[in-house]
Amino acid sequence: MTELKESKSAGGAAVGSRPWPLADELTAPFWDAAAAQRLVVQRCTECALLRFPPSARCSHCHSDGVEWAELSGRATLYSFIIDHRNMIPGFEGAYTVALATPDEVTDDSIRFVTNVPGCPPEDLRIGMPLTVTFEVVHDGVTLPQFVPEAGS
Amino acid sequence: MATTENPVAIIGVGYTELSRVPEKPETDLAVAACRAAAEDAGIGFDAVSGINIQVHHYPPPDTGAIVRELGITDVRWSVEGGLGVGALARAAQIVDAGICDAVVVCKIMNTIAPVNVPDIDPETGGVGGTAQFEVPYGLGYTMQRVGFLKRRWMHRYGITDDQVGWLCVTQREHALLNPHAIMKKPLTIEEYRASRWIADPVHLLDCDYPVNGAFAYIVGRPELATASKPVSILSWSGAGRGDTMPHLRPEADDGMNRWAHEVYTDACLGPKDMDVWMLYDGFSFLAMMWMEQLGLVEPGESGAYVEGGERIRFDGEHPVNTHGGQLSEGRLHATGHILEAVQQVRGTAGARQAVRADHAVVSSAYPHDGSVAIFGRA
């Protein structure tokens, strides 16, 4: 097992022992973009539908033509929980898991998971504007995260 | 859907005792529950030619061994898996199609196998598939995912945590009147409030109670029943499986469950005709969402409706989960709901019998697209 650098992140969870994403052919462009501080999702080259998580073909027109579209990173907090059960390795104590809907999606079909790092649970509000940030959790592994938009 | 010509009924129901820890092999539990169901119907297994065994985890026990022990010799239909009302609908279709005159359906639950944990590579700590976008953020089990639903629903309609608590308290009252229920002690609203968080806003007491045991029922032609009153399956929804990722799909509109209109229409009945409501409560608030999705109340009004508990109590205007539901009878993946609907319509629910129970509605899985059936007197 690769030795991960121990550090502290959202909600006091120790980053070092967290599970990390195993990129595959389908998902590697997403993680590569994140490592370059860009948030991307698949866009169908036939019908332009944005989709996430990555899939081999479009659920609307069934085309396998795909390009990766960069999003603005602006999003809205859809819902959130504060985990106390701690069933995932590397996450201890009360920590936030939230869903963020990107501004580019009007039909509510894409939601990103985020810890809203740096935001105390009592300040979380459904509907609050968020903006993307990038959290380096390991050499070569960067997680997109969403934080409250400045001034909101 | 409804039967094409001849009626299809639940003709027998069978229970084993439920226990917190595993006490008996799964095959023994299944055989005991199926035998009890046949005895309740007053038929022998020579009249049964179909079998569906459902488990909570894999691998399941060998259906062949259960068939042999039961002495079913003419197996025309044998399927493993499925869940709740979806599985009931499938069995009803098999009987309606004339493939079998009687089918035994059995749900076995146990607490042995670990379930509901993400697939993290033990060597590397890596996680693939769709989970790679969730588990690295600490999201990986159902109580968290339904927590998103609860928070969003409470926010949208102004439903309070206490109101959800009243559903739990009332269902516990019902469980104390149900000899099959695993919960034997009353629950107060104060205890609900103090219940520890699993994934705030989900309390421990919002979660159903894991058990070991088996419940079974026999779907068949009503004229086969000799020992108990058959209960007609008046209509049922498609047997599709509900979404396992409810947090990632678009929010449902203010309409009803996707099957509700069809199931009511096929039964030539409406929500106002439903006397008792057996609504899936793998998590407490799902049963409240089901109340809204099936038209017991308008969207967002379940909170006010369950407050205080009187209206949904077995002797109230719309009894809900009179067996205690999965919260307090035990987690049987809606098979407990099916059996209770049969008891209520028969009039054999004992101390928890509803005043009026001509028609029962039963649901399973997630409220927006889970399965629905309507029962009535045969």
Side-chain angles (χ1 to χ4, degrees):
Chain A
M1 182 177 170
T2 316
E3 197 60 40
L4 302 185
K5 207 172 94 184
E6 197 75 15
S7 66
K8 284 286 184 184
S9 180
V15 168
S17 50
R18 278 187 190 181
W20 52 276
L22 273 176
D24 53 36
E25 201 179 339
L26 204 54
T27 67
F30 177 86
W31 296 116
D32 290 347
Q37 312 248 310
R38 294 167 60 239
L39 180 69
V40 299
V41 295
Q42 287 176 308
R43 179 165 56 207
C44 177
T45 54
E46 288 296 317
C47 73
L49 183 77
L50 298 176
R51 63 185 202 260
F52 180 84
S55 56
R57 60 192 59 78
C58 175
S59 65
H60 177 63
C61 73
H62 297 171
S63 165
D64 60 4
V66 69
E67 58 190 359
W68 290 85
E70 183 168 359
L71 302 181
S72 67
R74 283 190 297 275
T76 304
L77 194 150
Y78 176 79
S79 192
F80 63 95
I81 56 118
I82 313 299
D83 187 278
H84 293 255
R85 179 72 175 76
N86 294 174
M87 286 173 75
I88 312 291
F91 288 84
E92 287 167 17
Y95 67 92
T96 298
V97 186
L99 300 175
T101 310
D103 281 7
E104 287 82 354
V105 175
T106 53
D107 66 354
D108 198 24
S109 59
I110 293 179
R111 288 173 204 152
F112 293 107
V113 179
T114 178
N115 301 113
V116 201
C119 182
E122 58 273 22
D123 290 348
L124 294 165
R125 296 284 180 274
I126 285 177
M128 72 193 289
L130 303 172
T131 190
V132 76
T133 184
F134 295 91
E135 181 185 15
V136 179
V137 294
H138 173 54
D139 185 31
V141 180
T142 297
L143 298 183
Q145 290 279 16
F146 291 83
V147 293
E149 203 166 58
S152 71
Chain B
M1 298 175 73
T3 55
T4 48
E5 199 175 326
N6 300 311
V8 173
I10 295 183
I11 60 175
V13 294
Y15 307 76
T16 69
E17 268 188 58
L18 302 178
S19 61
R20 182 70 180 96
V21 293
E23 289 174 354
K24 290 176 182 162
E26 288 187 305
T27 302
D28 291 7
L29 292 169
V31 168
C34 293
R35 286 184 61 192
E39 190 179 329
D40 182 55
I43 65 169
F45 279 97
D46 51 345
V48 176
S49 57
I51 186 163
N52 168 222
I53 301 292
Q54 304 158 32
V55 293
H56 187 34
H57 68 90
Y58 284 83
D62 176 17
T63 297
I66 296 167
V67 164
R68 279 192 300 278
E69 287 204 32
L70 292 174
I72 303 175
T73 52
D74 180 22
V75 181
R76 293 170 185 231
W77 183 74
S78 171
V79 161
E80 282 170 359
L83 185 139
V85 177
L88 166 77
R90 192 174 54 189
Q93 287 162 21
I94 291 298
V95 173
D96 187 48
I99 295 165
C100 301
D101 286 336
V103 168
V104 64
V105 180
C106 179
K107 179 82 194 189
I108 314 166
M109 294 300 284
N110 80 34
T111 54
I112 301 168
V115 289
N116 189 23
V117 288
D119 192 12
I120 301 165
D121 186 290
E123 291 288 309
T124 64
V127 59
T130 307
Q132 71 188 275
F133 301 104
E134 303 194 343
V135 177
Y137 299 91
L139 171 61
Y141 55 97
T142 309
M143 292 88 100
Q144 299 172 312
R145 297 193 179 100
V146 298
F148 296 132
L149 295 188
K150 184 183 181 188
R151 174 96 60 197
R152 182 86 191 173
W153 169 73
M154 291 172 74
H155 169 83
R156 183 173 181 177
Y157 295 120
I159 289 164
T160 67
D161 209 43
D162 259 22
Q163 290 173 331
V164 178
W166 278 109
L167 178 93
C168 302
V169 168
T170 311
Q171 288 195 190
R172 182 65 64 85
E173 279 186 57
H174 291 157
L176 302 183
L177 303 172
N178 172 10
H180 302 292
I182 195 155
M183 294 303 200
K184 307 290 186 195
K185 289 180 185 164
L187 174 72
T188 65
I189 192 73
E190 290 77 18
E191 284 169 313
Y192 176 82
R193 280 179 202 143
S195 172
R196 68 184 169 89
W197 294 120
I198 300 297
D200 175 0
V202 177
H203 294 274
L204 177 66
L205 287 173
D206 286 319
C207 306
D208 63 0
Y209 197 82
V211 295
N212 297 269
F215 282 7
Y217 57 92
I218 294 174
V219 176
R221 299 289 180 201
E223 60 271 19
L224 290 176
T226 64
S228 301
K229 280 190 238 171
V231 169
S232 275
I233 309 168
L234 299 179
S235 66
W236 60 82
S237 67
R241 185 160 185 242
D243 198 339
T244 55
M245 306 280 275
H247 60 299
L248 288 182
R249 92 186 123 187
E251 189 163 15
D253 57 21
D254 284 343
M256 293 176 117
N257 165 274
R258 66 172 291 193
W259 307 107
H261 179 74
E262 183 180 318
V263 171
Y264 282 131
T265 303
D266 289 348
C268 302
L269 296 166
K272 289 187 167 48
D273 301 308
M274 297 301 108
D275 301 309
V276 290
W277 302 72
M278 301 307 151
L279 306 176
Y280 184 76
D281 63 334
F283 296 94
S284 58
F285 40 92
L286 296 182
M288 294 172 67
M289 294 175 187
W290 270 112
M291 290 170 61
E292 301 173 5
Q293 295 277 325
L294 291 175
L296 193 162
V297 293
E298 293 295 313
E301 292 183 1
S302 63
Y305 195 81
V306 305
E307 203 164 339
E310 292 87 359
R311 299 176 194 84
I312 59 166
R313 202 147 46 211
F314 73 97
D315 54 357
E317 54 189 28
H318 288 301
V320 172
N321 292 342
T322 50
H323 54 320
Q326 295 185 188
L327 300 174
S328 285
E329 185 193 57
R331 177 196 291 159
L332 270 301
H333 285 169
T335 305
H337 296 70
I338 292 168
L339 268 52
E340 178 68 4
V342 170
Q343 301 285 18
Q344 287 288 346
V345 175
R346 277 179 178 172
T348 52
R352 64 190 190 281
Q353 179 66 46
V355 178
R356 186 180 172 89
D358 293 340
H359 298 117
V361 59
V362 191
S363 71
S364 63
Y366 290 104
H368 303 141
D369 63 357
S371 303
V372 185
I374 294 174
F375 297 173
R377 299 237 167 93

